[in-house]
Every structure is written in structure tokens, then in C-alpha cells.
Amino acid sequence: MPKDHGIGASSKRREDVRFLTGTGNYTDDINVYGQAYVAFVRSDVAHGRIKSVDTAEAAAMPGVLRVFTGSDFEGVGSIPCGWQVTDRHGEPMKEPAHPVLAHGKVRHVGDPIAAVVAETLQEARDAAEAVMADIEELPAVVDMKAAVASSDTLVHDDIGTNLCYDWGFVEDNREAVDKAISEAAHVTTLELVNNRLVANPMEPRVAVGSYEAAGDMSTLYTTSQNPHVIRLLMGAFVLGIPEHKLRVVAPDVGGGFGTKIFHYAEEAFCTFAARALKRPVKWTSTRSEAFMSDAHGRDHVTKIELALDKDHNFTALRTETYANMGAYLSTFAPSVPTWLHGTLMAGNYKTPLIYVNVKAVFTNTVPVDAYRGAGRPEATFQLERVVDKAARELGVDPIELRRKNFITEFPYATPVAVEYDTGDYNATMDKLIEIADLANFETRRKESEGRGKLRGLGINSYIEACGIAPSNLVGQLGARAGLYESATVRVNATGSISVMTGSHSHGQGHETAFPQVVAEMLGIPEDMVEIVHGDTANTPMGMGTYGSRSLAVGGSAMVRATEKIINKAKKIAAHLLEASEADIELKDGAFSVAGTDKSVAWGDVTLAAYVPHNYPLEDIEPGLEETAFYDPSNFTYPSGAYCCEVEVDPDTGKVDVVAFAAADDFGNVVNPMIVEGQVHGGVAQGIGQALLENCAYDETGQLLSASYMDYAMPRADNVPMVTVDHSCQTPCTHNPLGVKGCGEAGAIGSPPAVINAVIDALQSGGHTHVTHIDMPATPNRVWAAMQG
Amino acid sequence: MTEVTMNVNGRKVTRSVRGNELLVEFLREQLRLTGTHVGCDTSQCGACCVHVNGELVKACTMFAAEADGAEVATIEGQANADGSLNVIQQAFQDYHGLQCGFCTPGMVMSAASLLKDNPKPTEEEIRHHLQGNICRCTGYHNIVRAIMAASGQETPAVAAE
Ligand code: FES
Ligand code: FES
């Protein structure tokens, strides 16, 4: 029987009720009394020198309060980068300034040049049209290899190069890897592109800044995955506002997928302008603005070489990647192609020698940063594509080649600096074979062929590192932040509980899943526990939600705080029961004395804590509230095996995903319904990347895919039902819940499965020359590949 | 400015509107019915779906003035009279058909319109109908299941129940 409450139950989501009745509270639903509106004037050229910005006409227009330009931000800090990568020669990365409003030059289409604040949105927009920016257009750098080669066109003149860093990992392995590859019995080589994507949470970004002069207090309402991080970055580095004078609120947030982690210029602008004007100031992004101002994702170009011995053991792996940073360094951009990518290149395999080279490049494009999976989808795609290609070249079964090289003993220290605690890659592969009904694939292929379609089967494994992250480790790797999480468990007098968490829910269902954990630990109903999140004024400093970290890190903080509650409550119960603390047991919401029928209910203990009449005041303080900060000792390592079946129309090249199955190992699972929903959504995004989505620039740096007319989001009829399974569970060994995280797996594991399936379909149709197709595998690309 | 009168969720409202004021702006800003969302500026996402005189309409594609005299239904008016979730809303909760909730009002309005015309749609018909509603979170799997369930049909495929 599945559980109906607590850990392991598919509790229905309590947050759904407000979302289903239109009573959610998203940032754009917030209007602060007296607010004015912002419209940004954005560059329509990719690269240019700002000769002048004439704001006179705009400033005189109806309703306009003020027009701001870059010069208003002299003395204001640069938008900071939160991670410093050291290159393979020991030098720090190049770190150019990132002004709130462009100053001197514009560096990508969408770079904000000026901002109009007016009484109404309409007036702000009208006046923005009247701002005259005289910009001398410069040649743009768009192609990464050309950008590195070029010294006459520089995105940032003052740093003298378009190369942000040239990273080698593990640099000491380099020669050994080269030697192993030159001596290998077989080397499979693949050059591929991990296409640039736009995260596209359905809620566009919004910022509302306000300022109370009397208390010198600034408040920012923003669509963020991590309000405390924004408060620190914006307060300390950009605007110079101390934390106690700055409150950041991220209320209901309509999806994030990484792109709402980062600190953006618009947030700093609204906070700054509210102080300057003594008026609340609101900005709501249009979708068109989102395409040219939200950080993009992926955009890697890679050459990967896999060496095998005569028995098909992997002996070495070498990659060279160009990673696009865009025009400025977004908050965590430098970490994505390095520590979130290079460290995952072992995948599920015991390859003994690995060398990863990454050249991060500035171009005249929107900044690129973490998007669902962040570095790990790029690693998985390369690896699982090259393994598939190797199997084909060697004429061996792709599943058997994987199994032969699987890591089977744990803990396992990879040659790329991480230690996998647990996993069972054969178990998830076995489960996949079962749930995807691989035994009958040939029958299905014949059936498709009967309808004139080419059917292909794509399989892959994946591993990811989640639960980011041990603070002292990431500190050594260049992070300028700690990556612990926090929780305060406040037990109220009558026994109900408020949990203040530093994690942030923007679709993940924390308001439902977190209470399941606390309720299970205390033996009380889930509805006695409420989660409070998203407001720096009433939650402890926390790092927020991304990297599938909320339950593994934030949930662990909550467990630790609840343990402290239990310890104190037992002391109180011991006093009330006149027993020794060591004899007190907590079960089903009551404290009892072991071996007796003496007990006291949860609510009596909590009441005693706040009405301490009969209470050991000399030994313990009144009240029942505890805080814990949890810093993980390692990453967590979810893993699994995915299978995609496609049908390709040989006449048009159109690919349909006809079946998809995912067998994941997430360790322990708190709410299976929510976990499965995360996989469904991640897989749809992965299918989107593989077949539909592409953020395209032309050679002048114009953004070609700037709306839903040109950027193909997965729609309901583009994706299939997804068969999911998470019954293979090897619990994480180093966090108290044994959980690993499930938010990104779908997006990490699915793109190679889709492309492997497309290649298999074409090969089965006799197009044996087609060994790779870059994503997205559009009808055009597939058809062209078939023509040879 | 012109004056418009409409019946919104059974309540008669009269307001002055700008000539270029969109119905979605009118609902959100003038009536503070913020359940209807804006997800795009090219009429592609469906986050703004409402019913106008019983027809499914993207409220970003219609001027408020064009709805003068109309019956308008939004997500805020969908629950049962006693405040409980209606059949479609309840199915979305039961089948986990929403995550961040931003597309959800549009999805529910769109689903209601489908089921009015086609009380027992197939999976394919549901997916076809939802082409105009983008969800970035759910992968549509559970939205399709919720709509099947709301129409009293067996739901396809798996999930831990
Ligand atoms: S806001 Fe109306 S379709 Fe997107
Ligand atoms: S639930 Fe988030 S967009 Fe659909």
C-alpha cells in the first residue's frame, strides 16, 4: 500500500488551490501604492559605441518623471559575477565590468541604454520611443572561434581579448590522456554543438522597487529563485545598501529553470530609481524583452574523443569545448562549462584518464548562464553521443558497451575530482529495458516501416551532481558564495508549525513536500506545518533553489532544525512526565516514557514551552524555535537510464517522439507525484532542445529567434506521455534524508536519447553515412542529412 | 477614453478604458482580476485565456472596448458556488497538472472550452486543442491526464498513485 501521508506519500499539492482559482500572488500582481513604471530603451545593434543619448524630448513628455542613462550610474557598482574560474596557467579569468545601464558601448542586442520612469506604463513606453541614442555601429563578434582569433574586434576593449579563460581539467592528466589516445586500439571522435536555448519560464521577469525614506528602507519584489542571493549581490556589490536596510521578496514565481537565479540590471535599476525618485518603480518584462535580456543557456561547441582498448574498455577521454559567455559574465556563468561540466565527464563509466579543455568566450550576444541542468546536460550529451557512435563503429550493442564500462563499485572517485557515493547503473538500465518494453522494439519497428516510417531507438545513461554544494569545496573552486541552506522551525504554542526556509519554490511544490518531512518526524498531520519562503524579512539567510538542491540541502537543514526541536521537546516532556529525558520516546505525536503508559501529547508540550508555569526554567529557555544551517559534505549523484523511440518521415525528415521512458535513481523519494512531474517537465525540455528549440543569431549579432513565432517551444502535441520509474533507489549516504534531487534529471538525460534514436532511425533506413545530427534535429536538418 | 460595461464572472462592471487597452490589461489592472496572466506579446502562449460570450479568447488579442456588453468569464469565477474547486480544477490538482501555476488559469479555461464542445476528447484531441497554451513546467503529461479525468475517462499511462 502506498503511504497516504508523510515521507513517500503522493500528497496533493496545497499550493494548487490558489493557482487554480487565480489567487496566486506573482510579482506582476503586486502594485505598490503610488508606483511609477519603467520602460527600458534597449540597443538594437549588437555592438556599438554610444556617442550620445539625447533624453530631452522624452523627459518633456507627459507623465515622465525622469529619464536615466548610464552616466546616472557613475559611482554605482558593476553587476557582479559570483564565480571566479582560474585558467590552466593559474591566471584568474577576465572579468569585465557590467554596468546597470550601458556606458561607452553597447554589447548585445537588448543591452539597456536608458530607462524612462513615468506615471503610467503607456507614458513610459511612449517616451522611451523618443529617447535618441546616437550609436556608432561596430562589427560584431558572434562566432566563438572567430571571436577568439580576432584581436581587432573586442567585446571589451579594456581586457584586450575575447577569451574569458582557457581552462584545463585535470591539467596534470593532459599528457597521459594524449598518450593513451595516441596508443588506443580505437578512437571515436565527434564534433557537436550544444544549441543555445532560452529558458522561457512562462512568467516573464518583473521587478518592483520601493523606498521608505523615513526608515531608509528599500524593498525589492522580484521574480527570483533566491531572494537572499539577490539581496547580497545587489546590496553589497551594486548599490551599497546594507542588508538590514534592504528587503527582497520573491513571492509566487512562475517557473525559473535557472534563469531567475541571477542578479539582473533591471532589479538594481528599480531599487536605485525608487530611492532616487522616492516613488515605487515597477518593471514588467515583455516576452520580447525576455528573449534579449534573460540569460540564455547552453551554447557549447565541442570536439570529443573517446579511446578504447581492443576489449572495448574506455581508456581515455579528451574534450575541447568553446563555451559562449555572451557579452557580460552573468552571476554563475563561469562555473557552468567548468565545475558543473568538467567534473561530470566521467559519466557512469570507469574511464581512467580524462582531460577537459574549455575556452570561455565573450561575444556580442545575450549573457549565457545556467539553464536546467547547467553544464551537466552538455557533459551528458557529448559523452552519451560519443559512446553511441563508438558502439556503432565497433559493431557492438550500445547497451552492452555501456554495461561493460559502468562503474559498479561505490564510493567511486573519478579522475575528474568528484566521488560518487552510491548508484547502481545496471539496475536502472535493467529497469529501463523492462518499462520501455525493449523486447518488442523490432515488432514496433516493423509496424512503423509498414506505415512508411523509419523507427529509431535511442538509449543512454546519465549521472549528475546535485545538491550544490559543500561550501569549502566550491570556495576552493572559485565560488564567491557558500552553498549551505537554512531552516527555522518555529513551533507555535498550540503545536502548529511554521518552517522558514531559505529554499524557494517556483513550481517544485515545497509547500507540500517539506511539511511531509516535518510531519513524519514529529508524527503530526501535515496540515499542522506551513512553509514560509521567499522573503528576506522573515526567513534565515539561504542560498535558494537551483541545481536540484532544495530537498537535499534545504530539506536537510529542516531535518536538523526539527531534530533540535525534538531534543528540546523531549526535555520539556521529561519534566512534565517526571521522568528521565533518556526514557522519553516520541511517537505518533505524543511523548511517552518507555515501558510505561505515561504520555503527554505534542500540543501539551508545545503549550508548556510558551506558558512555562510548570517548566524547568532554570535548565531550559521557554519557547520552541530552532534554526539550522546545513552545509553538505558532498554533492549528490542522481543517475539513470533513458530511452527514446522516434519515427522519422523519410520524405520530409520530420521526427516524432513516439515513446519515451525514464528509469531514475533519485535515492529516497518524499513525494512520488511531484518527483514524476519534475521528470515529465525535464524530459519535455530535453525533447525541446533536441528537436525544436534554437536561439539563433545572424552574423551581425541580430537575434533571429526573438519571440514565440521564431523560437519553437514544445507544445502539447510535440511531446509524448513519458513512462517513468524511480523504484531503483540507492539512498544518498551523506544527507539525513538519503535524497539526491530530481529537478534536472529529465533535461540532462533526454537530449542524447532523442538524437541517438534519430541516428538509429536513419541508419535503419540505410542512411549509414549519417553518424550525427546537431540539435535541434529539425525536418530540414534531418532531410539534408539523409540526402548526404 | 470610452466607457464600457460588461458582465464579468456574473458581476456587472462599468469602467472607462483607453482605446488601445487590451482586455487582459482591463481585467488585471482595472478589475484586479490577476489570475489571468500575460506570458507573451505575440498571442502565442495562452496564459491569458478567458471566455467571452462562452467562446475561448486570448485576452491579449482583444481590446477591452470590443468586449463592451459581453459576458466575460475568468479563472476567478470558475470554482463551484460553495468555493470548492470545479471538476476541471479538481482534476488538475488530483493529477498534478500544474507546477508553477503560471499557465494554469489559461489551461483551465482552455480545457473548459474543449470539454464544452467535446465532452469525451481523445488524448490526441486534447493535445491538438492545447496547441495554443504553452506550459514550460509539466511537459503536458499530467495536464492531458487531468483533462481526461475531468471528462470522466480512464487516464493514459503511468504515475505513482
Ligand atoms: S499573453 Fe495572450 S497569448 Fe500570450
Ligand atoms: S505549470 Fe508552470 S508553466 Fe505550466
Side-chain angles (χ1 to χ4, degrees):
Chain A
M1 264 297 281
K3 287 180 71 175
D4 63 1
H5 69 280
I7 293 174
S10 285
S11 298
K12 287 182 200 174
R13 297 199 334 164
R14 51 176 84 178
E15 47 271 77
D16 289 358
V17 175
R18 65 177 189 272
F19 298 144
L20 282 161
T21 52
T23 51
N25 184 34
Y26 298 89
T27 312
D28 193 42
D29 302 341
I30 293 171
N31 291 316
V32 182
Y33 182 73
Q35 81 192 5
Y37 295 80
V38 189
F40 287 95
V41 179
R42 296 183 182 276
S43 178
D44 56 8
V45 300
H47 194 195
R49 206 167 301 287
I50 303 173
K51 294 171 74 179
S52 66
V53 184
D54 183 351
T55 60
E57 186 187 335
M61 286 177 65
V64 173
L65 297 168
R66 187 162 159 191
V67 184
F68 293 83
T69 65
S71 58
D72 291 303
F73 286 81
E74 269 162 28
V76 169
S78 171
I79 305 284
C81 177
W83 201 299
Q84 185 184 60
V85 165
T86 301
D87 78 3
R88 61 194 195 86
H89 309 294
E91 296 294 320
M93 68 183 190
K94 298 287 188 295
E95 196 171 352
H98 183 183
V100 174
L101 294 179
H103 199 58
K105 288 217 296 189
V106 288
R107 296 186 174 86
H108 65 84
V109 169
D111 209 358
I113 302 165
V116 178
V117 182
E119 293 289 348
T120 70
L121 181 56
Q122 187 77 38
E123 288 166 339
R125 285 187 180 155
D126 289 347
E129 302 268 321
V131 172
M132 298 296 176
D134 183 6
I135 294 177
E136 174 197 341
E137 194 169 349
L138 299 169
V141 282
V142 178
D143 178 76
M144 286 191 277
K145 289 181 184 168
V148 173
S150 159
S151 54
D152 29 286
T153 306
L154 296 175
V155 179
H156 295 276
D157 305 297
D158 53 332
I159 59 174
T161 171
N162 289 321
L163 185 66
C164 177
Y165 56 73
D166 178 3
W167 184 75
F169 185 65
V170 174
E171 195 59 26
D172 292 346
N173 288 351
R174 189 184 181 111
E175 278 176 28
V177 170
D178 290 350
K179 183 161 180 287
I181 289 178
S182 67
E183 291 170 355
H186 185 86
V187 178
T188 296
T189 304
L190 185 59
E191 293 188 38
L192 48 81
V193 172
N194 204 291
N195 43 328
R196 180 184 276 240
L197 302 176
V198 184
N200 271 306
M202 289 318 295
E203 177 201 31
R205 287 189 296 119
V206 181
V208 188
S210 77
Y211 180 63
E212 273 174 61
D216 186 30
M217 188 73 195
S218 291
T219 302
L220 171 70
Y221 299 90
T222 182
T223 47
S224 175
Q225 302 176 215
N226 31 242
H228 285 279
V229 175
I230 302 305
R231 185 179 67 164
L232 181 63
L233 292 177
M234 183 176 80
F237 296 95
V238 185
L239 300 179
I241 307 173
E243 286 101 320
H244 67 300
K245 294 293 178 188
L246 177 59
R247 174 181 171 209
V248 177
V249 185
D252 287 331
V253 171
F257 313 113
T259 206
K260 289 177 183 167
I261 298 171
F262 323 122
H263 175 42
Y264 285 97
E266 295 88 352
E267 294 172 317
F269 178 83
C270 289
T271 309
F272 177 88
R275 290 169 74 93
L277 296 168
K278 310 267 188 295
R279 287 278 297 272
V281 169
K282 181 175 191 172
W283 170 72
T284 301
S285 177
T286 63
R287 182 60 60 187
S288 301
E289 268 184 298
F291 273 100
M292 57 175 129
S293 68
D294 289 6
H296 293 171
R298 315 283 192 258
D299 205 351
H300 287 191
V301 176
T302 295
K303 178 179 177 188
I304 181 168
E305 296 158 285
L306 173 67
L308 301 92
D309 68 16
K310 63 178 187 349
D311 299 321
H312 304 162
N313 297 304
F314 302 164
T315 57
L317 185 73
R318 180 167 66 196
T319 72
E320 183 186 21
T321 288
Y322 286 79
N324 208 333
M325 295 285 105
Y328 302 100
L329 289 179
S330 175
T331 308
F332 287 119
S335 67
V336 174
T338 51
W339 301 109
L340 297 178
H341 161 254
T343 49
L344 268 295
M345 283 312 305
N348 308 63
Y349 311 109
K350 49 191 183 214
T351 315
L353 288 165
I354 297 176
Y355 180 72
V356 178
N357 176 241
V358 178
K359 295 176 181 71
V361 184
F362 293 111
T363 60
N364 291 114
T365 62
V366 169
V368 181
D369 204 328
Y371 165 61
R372 201 171 195 169
R376 292 150 290 168
E378 294 90 325
T380 305
F381 186 70
Q382 297 162 44
L383 191 57
E384 293 299 319
R385 283 291 301 122
V386 83
V387 169
D388 229 60
K389 186 164 184 249
R392 221 167 265 289
E393 287 173 356
L394 297 166
V396 298
D397 179 74
I399 295 178
E400 289 316 309
L401 182 62
R402 287 179 168 86
R403 288 193 194 270
K404 183 174 187 70
N405 287 281
F406 273 162
I407 295 159
T408 52
E409 282 169 27
F410 297 87
Y412 177 83
T414 73
V416 275
V418 288
E419 184 175 286
Y420 302 161
D421 58 343
T422 54
D424 187 343
Y425 310 143
N426 278 306
T428 47
M429 186 60 83
D430 291 343
K431 180 54 78 176
L432 181 77
I433 289 169
E434 174 197 328
I435 64 173
D437 185 27
L438 288 200
N440 291 307
F441 174 73
E442 284 306 325
T443 311
R444 295 194 291 276
R445 172 173 270 171
K446 289 222 165 53
E447 191 274 327
S448 297
E449 282 169 2
R451 287 182 287 106
K453 298 285 173 66
L454 303 174
R455 196 174 186 109
L457 174 69
I459 301 276
N460 64 270
S461 302
Y462 79 88
I463 182 158
E464 53 166 332
C466 294
I468 185 168
S471 292
N472 62 10
L473 173 63
V474 294
Q476 288 163 25
L477 305 183
R480 290 165 171 160
L483 286 166
Y484 55 83
E485 197 46 84
S486 63
T488 295
V489 175
R490 177 178 298 160
V491 182
N492 302 308
T494 62
S496 68
I497 295 174
S498 305
V499 179
M500 278 62 79
T501 170
S503 299
H504 185 276
S505 186
H506 30 280
Q508 296 86 344
H510 297 171
E511 292 171 35
T512 301
F514 281 19
Q516 290 180 248
V517 174
V518 175
E520 171 101 14
M521 290 177 73
L522 298 175
I524 60 175
E526 287 166 25
D527 62 9
M528 285 177 67
V529 185
E530 191 77 14
I531 300 300
V532 178
H533 68 97
D535 186 344
T536 60
N538 59 16
T539 56
M541 170 84 178
M543 298 309 291
T545 288
Y546 40 83
S548 308
R549 70 192 300 274
S550 294
L551 194 58
V553 191
S556 296
M558 191 175 61
V559 169
R560 291 284 184 252
T562 307
E563 286 168 353
K564 292 186 193 179
I565 292 285
I566 293 171
N567 286 340
K568 184 169 177 184
K570 279 186 173 171
K571 287 195 177 77
I572 301 169
H575 175 86
L576 296 176
L577 293 164
E578 296 172 343
S580 144
E581 190 192 326
D583 294 335
I584 301 294
E585 291 172 347
L586 170 61
K587 195 164 178 290
D588 297 333
F591 296 89
S592 57
V593 184
T596 75
D597 58 2
K598 279 172 44 176
S599 80
V600 57
W602 167 250
D604 293 328
V605 172
T606 63
L607 193 65
Y610 289 95
V611 187
H613 295 161
N614 171 18
Y615 194 89
L617 283 167
E618 54 291 352
D619 296 328
I620 42 176
E621 294 172 9
L624 200 48
E625 171 168 329
E626 298 287 351
T627 294
F629 287 75
Y630 178 84
D631 204 285
S633 60
N634 190 356
F635 292 87
T636 63
Y637 299 95
S639 62
Y642 282 17
C643 168
C644 178
E645 289 184 32
V646 298
E647 278 186 352
V648 178
D649 183 331
D651 297 328
T652 64
K654 182 166 188 305
V655 179
D656 283 319
V657 177
V658 290
F660 201 102
D664 294 292
D665 174 1
F666 295 133
N668 295 335
V669 165
V670 170
N671 184 317
M673 176 192 82
I674 291 176
V675 164
E676 291 173 18
Q678 289 292 311
V679 176
H680 298 152
V683 166
Q685 289 183 348
I687 292 173
Q689 167 163 34
L691 296 180
L692 300 163
E693 299 177 40
N694 196 33
C695 178
Y697 282 91
D698 73 9
E699 63 284 359
T700 69
Q702 283 299 322
L703 179 60
L704 300 177
S705 49
S707 79
Y708 289 149
M709 317 282 271
D710 330 283
Y711 186 92
M713 293 283 280
R715 310 251 176 178
D717 57 350
N718 297 130
V719 289
M721 288 295 184
V722 179
T723 305
V724 296
D725 182 278
H726 44 79
S727 64
C728 301
Q729 298 182 349
T730 60
C732 171
T733 56
H734 58 79
N735 65 43
L737 290 166
V739 296
K740 295 186 172 181
C742 65
E744 296 160 296
I748 292 169
S750 55
V754 178
I755 299 299
N756 288 348
V758 172
I759 300 301
D760 186 56
L762 298 192
Q763 294 262 342
S764 80
H767 304 283
T768 50
H769 63 284
V770 184
T771 57
H772 180 66
I773 293 178
D774 273 324
M775 302 186 289
T778 57
N780 195 3
R781 284 185 180 172
V782 174
W783 187 85
M786 284 190 285
Q787 309 316 304
Chain B
M1 300 291 262
T2 36
E3 195 170 271
V4 298
T5 297
M6 48 185 115
N7 195 319
V8 181
N9 299 330
R11 189 167 68 97
K12 191 175 153 202
V13 295
T14 302
R15 295 282 193 286
S16 300
V17 298
R18 300 187 320 271
N20 65 353
E21 184 164 331
L22 299 171
L23 178 58
V24 67
E25 296 175 303
F26 175 78
L27 294 169
R28 289 184 57 81
E29 303 301 332
Q30 296 228 35
L31 303 187
R32 302 296 302 143
L33 293 172
T34 53
T36 303
H37 295 152
V38 178
C40 73
D41 45 11
T42 53
S43 321
Q44 293 274 312
C45 76
C48 62
C49 282
V50 298
H51 298 164
V52 177
N53 294 329
E55 295 294 321
L56 185 65
V57 165
K58 288 179 172 171
C60 69
T61 61
M62 187 181 217
F63 291 121
E66 293 178 274
D68 190 22
E71 297 275 332
V72 177
T74 72
I75 189 69
E76 287 88 349
Q78 295 300 298
N80 297 324
D82 65 356
S84 60
L85 299 180
N86 76 13
V87 171
I88 297 172
Q89 291 168 318
Q90 188 60 57
F92 269 71
Q93 185 187 31
D94 292 348
Y95 289 86
H96 189 27
L98 63 153
Q99 292 181 21
C100 79
F102 197 79
C103 71
T104 307
M107 286 288 178
V108 169
M109 298 309 286
S110 186
S113 159
L114 169 68
L115 297 185
K116 187 165 74 99
D117 298 338
N118 182 357
K120 294 264 184 274
T122 63
E123 179 189 333
E124 207 183 328
E125 286 169 341
I126 294 171
R127 290 184 181 277
H128 183 76
H129 176 83
L130 292 181
Q131 270 182 341
N133 291 82
I134 306 177
C135 175
R136 191 55 150 170
C137 298
T138 64
Y140 306 99
H141 183 112
N142 283 338
I143 292 177
V144 173
R145 294 177 71 227
I147 296 174
M148 292 293 257
S151 61
Q153 305 184 75
E154 291 277 301
T155 66
V158 283
E161 243 89 63

